[in-house]
Amino acid sequence: MNSEGRLLELEDLRKWFEIRRGFLSSKVSYVKAVDGVTFTLDEGMAVSLVGESGSGKTTLGKTIIRLYEPNGGRIIFQDRDVTHLKANDLKWYRRMTGLVQQDPFGAFASHFTIFRSLEEPLLIHNTVKSKEERAEKVFKALEEVRLTPVEDFAYKYPHMLSGGQLQRVAIARAIILEPRLLVADEPVSMLDASVRIEILTLLRRLQERLRLGVIYITHDLATTRFFSEWALIMYAGHVMEKAFTQEILRNPLHPYTRALLTATPEPNPENRNRFKQVPPGEPPALIDPPKSCRFSPRCPRAFDKCFKEEPPEFEAASGHWVKCWLYERSEGK
Amino acid sequence: MGWLKTGSPKPSAGLKGVLREVLSYKSAVAGIVILLFLIGLSVYTVVTIPLPEAIQAWRSSEAWSRNPRNAQPEWIELFYGRKLPRTITVSLGEKASEVLREDGTLSVSWVIHFNYEYDDFPSEIIVFFNSSFVEKPVVDIYWIRPDGDEILLKKHTLRRPDDRLYLSNDLGLELRLERLFESKIGKKPNFTVTVEKGLFSEYSQDPRVLKGLYGMRFETALNKSDVLNAEVVIYGTVHGLAGTDHLRRPLIIGLLWGTPIAMSFGLTTALLTTALGLIIGTISGWYGGKIDTIIQRIVEINAVLPFLPILILLTTFYRIDLFVILLSVVVLSIFSLGIKGTRILVMQIKSYPYIEAAQAYGASNMRLILFYVIPKIMPPVVPGMISSVPGFVFLEAGLSYLGLGDPFLPTWGKIISDAQTNGAFYKGMYYWVLEPAFMLILTAIAFALIGMALERIVNPKLKEL
């Protein structure tokens, strides 16, 4: 393992989806869902991927755990290039990563009991040989996510459990192989508000205890503060801003991040009559995104350069990167 | 499609639950009872009449020489309200007298008796001889009526040791009997005096069966070493549970053997075509891309190919037994349109989050297909399979009817085909067609009832119908 404790490195990672135009045409175009993401995650750290629908955050998450094959760039996991792993190596990578999905009701095969659902990863990776040991592992995982007494839950079918309970089972399934990296794709957005915080607390506690690297995908900036050390703001397949979560929330630099923060409701009685200024328009189509800054058509502070050239990432402050021409000058300083 | 929703409550878990639910439908219970009956019948048939024996008996005309030709089943009496004649067989047995003559030959005679209490005339009379001799003996046969009259039937010279005397075809006897009737009642009787009527009727204007004890006397001269035995068979007009056909074969054998053949053919074809279709459809839907395109084009081409003409062509060119027919039917049905349905279901299931989750923890394609996808698409597949059985049973019968079936096996379709070529309906032998038709319908009903109940269970929307 890396001496610096580095878990995951993404270098200019790209995921483009091929689409065919026309019936017999061989002409292909691409949906550039993730277009050049560079990022590093240390052992036991959590990072939030924040963005609106269609920003590519889910695609990025799925590409990282290799549910999608990247079209370009590299994924380095524990100093090993996993970008194009095949067969047995990929199976190893599957064991090292876990996934918690958005929809707990769809996350389980309805013909499997909870026990069987949790046993499946163990059966596939054959890490535990004996039946008794497998059962022990399953029960331990259920305890881990506080579904006790475990016997009450293990032999039920998914439809007998509530959304919150199912999401706990999903977390149990994601950690049962003792992975080092967990991708949580909007794990609480389909749950009742009352159980959201429980699930997030559980995830956070597990992450700290098991020293898991966690990629937390969300559209809700409010929960990132609670959950993650780092935050990445995504827009139209690009990372617009990345920094410590606290830093981003306290000092958002990119116009898009600011707009996002503005849109976050705050429980302040003075806000009741205030009209919030949000950028007009829609995110660009990703089939042929503008070659300029992708936020430029909506940006309130855009100037000439923004419409001509795509900005690189500027380090506006220490550890605070922004993909915006506004901060070009800070480079020179 | 309620069963497809991942989160929807399962109506019942496990096989037991399904079985309990099936039994809650009266129609399904009826179907199961019929099915069990047919299965029992098949097992009984296979155990009691081994196939080679059945085939051989079915194909030989000799085995059934003691059966009446074109006889109706015995229970037909219920509709006529008369006692219809059964077949009577009498052997010569003990000699009545034996006298040594001067030339060294023996003058021998036999007398046999039998009761005739039926309300109709027999269909045929044949004397089967079984003898050994040096010189061809002449046998005088006399007919003794219950009223005491004695009629010389024939002075018969044995041509072979196993000679047969077809009394019904004896025109000379017929003429003598007609004259006898004319002299007894003083004028021509109102009916054609056939041998059977002449021998068994009262002396009256209209044919009326004379019931009572009949006798026959055989007289001959034999050498000392000669042996003579004979069997008189007076054929009835009814036979057994199912009657006989034009070759005197008891239809019951064909009906019985038709059961396991039809059942195994129907079930095997249904099972094979469904299973293979399921696998191909799943592969098509799961892998997509080129494989999918190729499979779908094959399905579409197959859909426009004429099924029956191809089958007829095949059965014309190749030696046709049941196995070849089964194979051709399976091959022609593998790429059926049902694959499109399976493919769509698989594509739908493929997009469910639980599949993605399984991929994330490393499930292989094989594992995903076998444990995650196929169990999900089984619910509509199983009732579909059961409902498709009658179609294949009918197909086999249809091919047999067209003369394209297995030429050796006795099947329901073959019986119907025989009935057709021998003009069963024209001659009023309805039983010949109706019996195999009844068996076919029974089989179809059994599978249809069970299939419908299963379909209603997996697709609750149908319950309202």
Side-chain angles (χ1 to χ4, degrees):
Chain A
M1 201 170 289
N2 197 312
S3 51
E4 297 160 71
R6 191 160 287 174
L7 181 67
L8 182 76
E9 287 178 76
L10 309 181
E11 284 174 18
D12 195 25
L13 191 65
R14 276 194 295 269
K15 177 61 200 172
W16 297 356
F17 293 103
E18 235 177 67
I19 51 164
R20 262 167 225 285
R21 278 178 167 171
F23 177 50
L24 288 169
S25 155
S26 58
K27 210 176 137 190
V28 285
S29 33
Y30 295 94
V31 176
K32 302 182 176 176
V34 173
D35 204 8
V37 171
T38 304
F39 170 69
T40 307
L41 181 67
D42 288 343
E43 283 278 337
M45 291 287 170
V47 59
S48 295
L49 294 182
V50 189
E52 61 196 295
S53 302
S55 62
K57 56 190 194 299
T58 297
T59 307
L60 177 57
K62 287 182 183 175
T63 311
I64 289 172
I65 57 168
R66 285 292 315 279
L67 281 174
Y68 296 143
E69 177 111 23
N71 299 63
R74 297 208 301 160
I75 307 169
I76 293 166
F77 178 82
Q78 291 184 346
D79 285 344
R80 190 169 166 186
D81 191 335
V82 298
T83 324
H84 300 290
L85 285 185
K86 292 266 178 279
N88 272 338
D89 294 328
L90 184 60
K91 208 171 165 184
W92 162 82
Y93 188 56
R94 297 269 188 248
R95 204 169 74 227
M96 303 311 287
T97 56
L99 172 68
V100 178
Q101 292 154 301
Q102 181 177 10
D103 173 11
F105 298 100
F108 295 93
S110 58
H111 56 284
F112 285 170
T113 59
I114 298 304
F115 184 90
R116 177 71 197 273
S117 280
L118 290 177
E119 198 187 12
E120 276 288 299
L122 299 175
L123 287 169
I124 289 163
H125 291 278
N126 209 11
T127 47
V128 189
K129 303 276 185 219
S130 82
K131 212 176 168 181
E132 292 75 29
E133 279 177 76
R134 272 204 303 276
E136 203 178 296
K137 274 230 158 190
V138 170
F139 289 146
K140 216 184 123 211
L142 283 172
E143 256 166 40
E144 199 86 72
V145 294
R146 302 215 172 143
L147 282 176
T148 49
V150 287
E151 288 83 3
D152 284 3
F153 291 98
Y155 301 105
K156 282 190 170 150
Y157 282 92
H159 72 268
M160 301 166 166
L161 267 56
S162 71
Q165 288 169 331
L166 282 177
Q167 201 59 301
R168 283 165 191 266
V169 180
I171 293 168
R173 182 173 64 183
I175 59 163
I176 202 163
L177 289 167
E178 295 163 18
R180 299 314 307 145
L181 176 68
L182 193 70
V183 172
D185 186 1
E186 306 206 34
V188 293
S189 63
M190 276 185 72
L191 299 180
D192 277 357
S194 57
V195 293
R196 281 184 188 178
I197 198 68
E198 283 173 34
I199 298 291
L200 282 178
T201 316
L202 176 75
L203 259 180
R204 184 66 170 164
R205 205 177 42 92
L206 281 173
Q207 185 240 334
E208 281 166 358
R209 211 166 63 69
L210 305 172
R211 275 185 58 77
L212 276 172
V214 172
I215 293 168
Y216 173 61
I217 299 168
T218 184
H219 55 252
D220 178 13
L221 262 175
T223 55
T224 60
R225 179 198 334 250
F226 168 79
F227 197 81
S228 59
E229 283 82 12
W230 285 82
L232 264 68
I233 310 297
M234 285 192 76
Y235 182 81
H238 282 165
V239 173
M240 291 307 191
E241 188 166 1
K242 61 186 173 198
F244 282 119
T245 312
Q246 296 297 335
E247 168 77 9
I248 284 198
L249 293 177
R250 215 181 310 120
N251 182 24
L253 296 179
H254 199 285
Y256 176 64
T257 316
R258 287 184 181 170
L260 264 186
L261 274 171
T262 318
T264 311
E266 278 165 74
N268 184 347
E270 281 174 24
N271 284 344
R272 68 190 173 215
N273 293 322
R274 195 186 296 162
F275 186 77
K276 287 184 175 177
Q277 200 63 48
V278 289
E282 299 276 326
L286 293 176
I287 294 178
D288 256 323
K291 293 222 160 50
S292 57
C293 171
R294 289 192 183 175
F295 189 60
S296 58
R298 300 172 72 190
C299 187
R301 297 177 61 190
F303 56 99
D304 284 356
K305 202 170 187 181
C306 300
F307 299 109
K308 284 178 189 144
E309 228 180 305
E310 185 185 313
E313 288 179 2
F314 300 110
E315 190 166 11
S318 168
H320 194 148
W321 300 77
V322 194
K323 196 179 177 72
C324 181
W325 286 120
L326 285 174
Y327 300 92
E328 190 184 10
R329 56 199 153 80
S330 55
E331 281 286 275
K333 278 179 189 171
Chain B
M1 283 185 230
W3 46 269
L4 253 182
K5 271 175 68 186
T6 44
S8 75
K10 285 173 66 138
S12 49
L15 207 66
K16 258 189 187 169
V18 171
L19 197 69
R20 199 175 309 126
E21 201 159 348
V22 167
L23 290 178
S24 71
Y25 287 94
K26 283 202 185 85
S27 60
V29 173
I32 289 173
V33 168
I34 300 174
L35 189 65
L36 287 178
F37 165 72
L38 290 171
I39 290 171
L41 205 62
S42 303
V43 172
Y44 168 82
T45 307
V46 173
V47 170
T48 52
I49 320 167
L51 184 58
E53 229 171 79
I55 290 179
Q56 205 175 6
W58 190 251
R59 291 173 59 73
S60 86
S61 53
E62 205 45 47
W64 313 115
S65 59
R66 306 297 200 266
N67 283 351
R69 200 187 287 275
N70 292 337
Q72 297 181 327
E74 282 176 4
W75 45 260
I76 208 91
E77 282 181 342
L78 295 174
F79 301 104
Y80 286 111
R82 285 183 295 153
K83 206 159 162 47
L84 295 176
R86 312 291 199 268
T87 301
I88 298 169
T89 308
V90 198
S91 289
L92 283 191
E94 289 289 307
K95 290 166 187 161
S97 70
E98 196 174 21
V99 180
L100 186 66
R101 291 200 291 204
E102 290 158 10
D103 57 358
T105 57
L106 289 166
S107 171
V108 196
S109 74
W110 293 264
V111 178
I112 54 173
H113 292 285
F114 59 91
N115 254 315
Y116 196 84
E117 300 289 350
Y118 302 109
D119 296 326
D120 204 350
F121 299 100
S123 59
E124 209 177 351
I125 304 167
I126 301 177
V127 183
F128 294 87
F129 290 98
N130 181 16
S131 54
S132 68
F133 47 79
V134 188
E135 260 175 84
K136 291 176 179 169
V138 182
V139 185
D140 299 349
I141 307 171
Y142 296 90
W143 185 255
I144 308 158
R145 291 167 55 103
D147 53 19
D149 274 8
E150 210 173 287
I151 304 160
L152 174 67
L153 290 177
K154 186 151 180 113
K155 289 182 179 298
H156 183 62
T157 312
L158 287 189
R159 287 154 299 177
R160 298 190 314 270
D162 60 344
D163 203 9
R164 284 177 193 183
L165 176 57
Y166 296 90
L167 282 173
S168 301
N169 299 347
D170 194 332
L171 292 175
L173 176 61
E174 216 172 272
L175 207 64
R176 280 189 284 125
L177 286 169
E178 196 177 340
R179 284 202 201 115
L180 178 71
F181 265 69
E182 272 180 47
S183 67
K184 287 278 183 186
I185 56 177
K187 55 179 172 179
K188 252 183 159 5
N190 287 344
F191 59 99
T192 325
V193 184
T194 60
V195 172
E196 294 82 28
K197 283 177 185 159
L199 293 178
F200 283 93
S201 177
E202 291 174 13
Y203 300 124
S204 58
Q205 200 68 27
D206 298 302
R208 237 180 299 148
V209 179
L210 179 63
K211 296 178 187 176
L213 189 69
Y214 284 83
M216 280 174 93
R217 199 169 72 245
F218 287 70
E219 288 177 359
T220 186
L222 293 175
N223 286 314
K224 270 200 174 145
S225 57
D226 293 355
V227 179
L228 187 118
N229 207 345
E231 217 175 1
V232 182
V233 181
I234 298 159
Y235 292 97
T237 57
V238 291
H239 181 88
L241 255 178
T244 60
D245 64 6
H246 61 304
L247 298 174
R248 304 175 186 276
R249 296 181 296 202
L251 289 180
I252 190 82
I253 290 190
L255 292 177
L256 280 177
W257 257 106
T259 316
I261 292 171
M263 297 272 284
S264 52
F265 184 87
L267 278 172
T268 315
T269 359
L271 198 72
L272 280 178
T273 50
T274 310
L276 292 172
L278 182 70
I279 291 169
I280 294 169
T282 308
I283 288 172
S284 183
W286 182 264
Y287 290 101
K290 280 207 177 70
I291 299 174
D292 184 38
T293 311
I294 292 168
I295 291 175
Q296 291 313 308
R297 291 304 88 75
I298 294 176
V299 168
E300 280 146 25
I301 292 167
N302 192 61
V304 295
L305 290 180
F307 183 75
L308 204 58
I310 288 182
L311 216 53
I312 292 172
L313 205 69
L314 282 173
T315 45
T316 315
F317 279 118
Y318 296 97
R319 201 186 134 259
I320 37 168
D321 58 25
L322 198 67
F323 185 71
V324 173
I325 296 169
L326 189 143
L327 218 64
S328 337
V329 170
V330 169
V331 167
L332 287 173
S333 323
I334 286 178
F335 288 95
S336 65
L337 282 174
I339 283 177
K340 295 228 175 225
T342 311
R343 167 174 173 265
I344 289 162
L345 290 181
V346 172
M347 288 168 93
Q348 204 175 340
I349 290 168
K350 195 181 161 187
S351 67
Y352 283 141
Y354 81 88
I355 298 287
E356 187 179 66
Q359 280 168 334
Y361 56 67
S364 60
N365 276 325
M366 196 62 138
R367 191 176 188 89
L368 285 169
I369 289 174
L370 284 181
F371 296 130
Y372 291 71
V373 176
I374 288 191
K376 276 272 178 197
I377 50 178
M378 281 316 263
V381 163
V382 172
M385 185 196 90
I386 289 176
S387 305
S388 77
V389 173
F392 291 116
V393 172
F394 285 157
L395 179 67
E396 193 275 328
L399 286 173
S400 292
Y401 176 77
L402 292 173
L404 302 167
D406 190 301
F408 297 104
L409 296 174
T411 63
W412 297 335
K414 193 94 64 55
I415 295 175
I416 297 179
S417 167
D418 283 346
Q420 151 87 5
T421 47
N422 291 288
F425 271 141
Y426 175 66
K427 294 179 189 160
M429 296 183 284
Y430 304 110
Y431 66 96
W432 201 351
V433 180
L434 294 183
E435 283 168 2
F438 173 77
M439 294 303 282
L440 280 168
I441 291 167
L442 202 65
T443 313
I445 286 177
F447 286 105
L449 287 177
I450 297 170
M452 270 157 60
L454 280 176
E455 216 144 349
R456 259 179 276 172
I457 288 167
V458 300
N459 193 354
K461 272 185 199 160
L462 290 173
K463 274 182 185 163
E464 295 146 25
L465 299 176

